[in-house]
Every structure is written in structure tokens, then in C-alpha cells.
Amino acid sequence: MAPKTDKTEVIELLKTLMNIESTSEQELEIGEYLAKYIQGRGFTAERIAIAPGSTRHNVYAYLGQERKAKLLVTAHMDTVPPHIPFSIDGDVIRGRGACDDLGPMVAQIFAVEELRAEGKLKDGDVSYLWVVGEEKGGPGMIAANDMGLTWEAGLFAEPTEMKIAKGHKGNLVFEIVAHGKAW
């Protein structure tokens, strides 16, 4: 079982992640780090290419040997450019990813660790999916659709202006072409 979470450990993980350049299309190093980190926590971790031959990989991790889990806990690894490293001033953390989406990802990791420490999670209960490219077209989450997995519930780490979100806004893109005379 994981020990009770120490605030210093949370800040150190966030600092490490935020100091890795992880702007869209530059997620390789952070993905490698996360896979190794979560394996050290006792999870099985896979790096899954988002397309055949791609150097961009999602990270999927789960407790036990079976990929299937009841709960999906997910966040995106990429940040918008430019890379701004971690800084802290008192209790204020600044830098790219602090709130979108590395800070929420770290919160998820340690929330799961707390539940494990309390003996409330077992193999098959929870999995992580950390995706690439959310800030630029969403290819990581699109590729996740091809994993052949389903979950009973999902917990997305995406800032929502301090409001509870029951679903994801998403987007719809279309083009209208009209012919004729302008009035």
C-alpha cells in the first residue's frame, strides 16, 4: 500500500512535470517519465502510439495485469506554447500546465494514491489514460477510441472555470459556402 501523501511529494511531482517541455507535439519525454513514474507506484503502464509508426504516445496504466478497469482517470500531457517552467511564490504555483492540465493530473494521481493507502482500491478498479495533443486537435483521445476498452465511469482533469461539468463541451466545425449576389 502507498503511504499517506506528503505535500512536498505532490509539489515535487508537479515541479518535475512542469519543467519537462511538453507543448503539443513535444510530449515524448513527459510520457516516458509518467510511464516510469506510475510503474514505480505499482501500476502496469503501456505507451501506445497514436498511429502506426508515430513517435507520439498516450500512456495507459492500470492496477493488476488486466487492462480493463471500472474507472478511467484521464488528463492530457501537452500544454500550449511557449514552455514556461515551474515557479512557486509562497502558496502560488506558476508555469505552463499548473492548471491545464498537469496540476489536475497530479491531483488525480495523489487522490488515487490516498484511496489505495486506505485500502479502497483493488486490481481492476482504476486506470489512467494520459493523452497527447489535447491542445492541438485531440489526436491522443481520438486514438484512445481504438483501444477497445470501456469503463463504467470517467474522471476528466480539465479546468472548467470552477464549475461542475457533467459532460464535455466539445466542438463542431463546419463551413458554409453560399453563391449569389451580396446585398
Side-chain angles (χ1 to χ4, degrees):
M1 285 302 150
K4 193 100 171 128
T5 301
D6 177 354
K7 176 181 168 183
T8 306
E9 189 179 8
V10 174
I11 293 170
E12 280 304 309
L13 177 58
L14 182 57
K15 178 180 179 179
T16 299
L17 294 177
M18 288 176 61
N19 283 335
I20 297 171
E21 164 83 41
S22 63
T23 55
S24 296
E25 299 181 17
Q26 302 297 317
E27 308 99 343
L28 179 63
E29 185 180 349
I30 196 168
E32 290 173 338
Y33 182 87
L34 282 165
K36 185 176 178 184
Y37 176 86
I38 208 66
Q39 283 175 327
R41 295 287 201 174
F43 282 75
T44 302
E46 302 174 18
R47 291 182 52 246
I48 304 167
I50 62 169
S54 177
T55 59
R56 298 177 75 197
H57 296 81
N58 290 334
V59 175
Y60 184 62
Y62 44 94
L63 285 172
Q65 298 304 308
E66 292 192 38
R67 298 174 91 211
K68 188 173 178 149
K70 293 177 185 174
L71 175 65
L72 172 67
V73 178
T74 184
H76 61 90
M77 298 182 277
D78 64 317
T79 60
V80 296
H83 174 69
I84 300 172
F86 174 96
S87 67
I88 189 167
D89 182 14
D91 62 354
V92 177
I93 294 174
R94 293 184 177 87
R96 194 66 79 202
C99 64
D100 187 12
D101 203 25
L102 304 177
M105 175 194 292
V106 169
Q108 287 179 327
I109 291 169
F110 285 100
V112 167
E113 288 300 297
E114 287 290 326
L115 291 170
R116 287 181 68 205
E118 295 170 9
K120 294 181 179 175
L121 293 176
K122 62 186 183 312
D123 291 1
D125 282 345
V126 66
S127 62
Y128 292 111
L129 175 62
W130 297 313
V131 299
V132 299
E134 188 274 347
E135 299 291 358
K136 194 172 180 183
M141 195 54 83
I142 291 168
N145 291 326
D146 296 330
M147 292 174 59
L149 295 171
T150 59
W151 301 271
E152 292 177 19
L155 180 62
F156 289 77
E158 183 65 25
T160 57
E161 300 158 355
M162 298 300 286
K163 298 174 187 169
I164 295 176
K166 295 182 195 175
H168 195 280
K169 296 176 200 172
N171 65 28
L172 175 63
V173 178
F174 59 92
E175 181 178 339
I176 296 175
V177 177
H179 302 280
K181 292 184 179 183
W183 277 71

